[in-house]
Amino acid sequence: LSQRLRELSFLNAGLRIKIEDERSGKSHDFCYEGGIVSFVEHLNRARAPLHTPPIFVSGTRTYTSNHGEVPVQIEIALQYNESYNESVFSFANNINTVEGGAHLIGFRTALTRTLNRYVTNQKKNSKDSGEAISGDDTREGLTAVISVKLPQPEFEGQTKTKLGTSEVRGLVEG
């Protein structure tokens, strides 16, 4: 319970959640003003980050459905560290989408495209043309949290482990 409540506190910046086990006297008080930025810092606490603070991007975008304009709140926090492991967590309406989905695909695509564009711009004045960076290369040593909040999300399967709302991909990618 404590792990899930900590996660909810990270995903909702400033939300205070207290839990107490009256049998043992153990208690936890979770409140993270930094939201998912604090979440990324928590995930990287045992690693050596390559930059501080974590990069944070947030915004609200809309898409048109049969029911009109649908607002989607998007928050992304990311930080690279010295490890070789990728540690990316995705959430839709505070539900951990462990299998990812449209929002995770959009994030990965945008990250790879952005870093390739940066490298290309840096090499314009250089004689070294180089190769494009692969998606796996861009995610090496990455810790990230992607959180989207939208009305009436579509999930694949009963367990809600994968977001299926395809319109979200383009919004996150943008």
Side-chain angles (χ1 to χ4, degrees), residues 156-170:
E156 295 179 15
Q158 288 291 328
T159 57
K160 296 184 178 183
T161 56
K162 189 172 186 179
L163 181 64
T165 310
S166 60
E167 293 85 358
V168 172
R169 176 185 177 172

Side-chain angles (χ1 to χ4, degrees), residues 4-159:
R4 176 65 178 141
L5 294 176
R6 175 185 287 122
E7 196 173 82
L8 285 171
S9 184
F10 279 129
L11 293 169
N12 299 282
L15 176 67
R16 176 169 303 259
I17 301 174
K18 296 180 180 183
I19 184 171
E20 181 178 352
D21 184 343
E22 293 176 351
R23 299 169 299 175
S24 67
K26 282 187 173 182
S27 66
H28 295 283
D29 184 359
F30 304 114
C31 183
Y32 301 98
E33 294 296 332
I36 65 171
V37 171
S38 297
F39 198 173
V40 168
E41 290 170 337
H42 176 77
L43 293 168
N44 270 342
R45 68 190 180 280
R47 299 181 181 108
L50 297 179
H51 58 89
T52 56
I55 297 167
F56 178 67
V57 180
S58 71
T60 302
R61 300 284 187 262
T62 59
Y63 70 90
T64 305
S65 77
N66 296 338
H67 307 291
E69 292 291 310
V70 179
V72 179
Q73 181 185 351
I74 303 165
E75 290 186 334
I76 300 170
L78 63 105
Q79 185 177 46
Y80 283 93
N81 59 65
E82 290 183 352
S83 77
Y84 293 101
N85 300 325
E86 172 188 7
S87 183
V88 177
F89 296 89
S90 61
F91 298 86
N93 292 357
N94 294 331
I95 297 168
N96 188 349
T97 51
V98 293
E99 293 181 31
H103 54 324
L104 183 58
I105 293 168
F107 168 72
R108 286 179 170 168
T109 302
L111 181 66
T112 303
R113 183 186 63 234
T114 301
L115 291 176
N116 269 313
R117 185 179 306 143
Y118 175 79
V119 169
T120 300
N121 288 339
Q122 294 300 311
K123 291 186 177 188
K124 277 186 180 177
N125 297 328
S126 169
K127 293 180 182 179
D128 178 23
S129 61
E131 294 181 24
I133 299 171
S134 74
D136 288 338
D137 290 336
T138 64
R139 295 188 304 271
E140 191 172 288
L142 174 67
T143 299
V145 175
I146 299 109
S147 175
V148 296
K149 294 178 180 164
L150 65 156
Q152 301 175 342
E154 296 172 11
F155 292 97
E156 295 179 15
Q158 288 291 328
T159 57

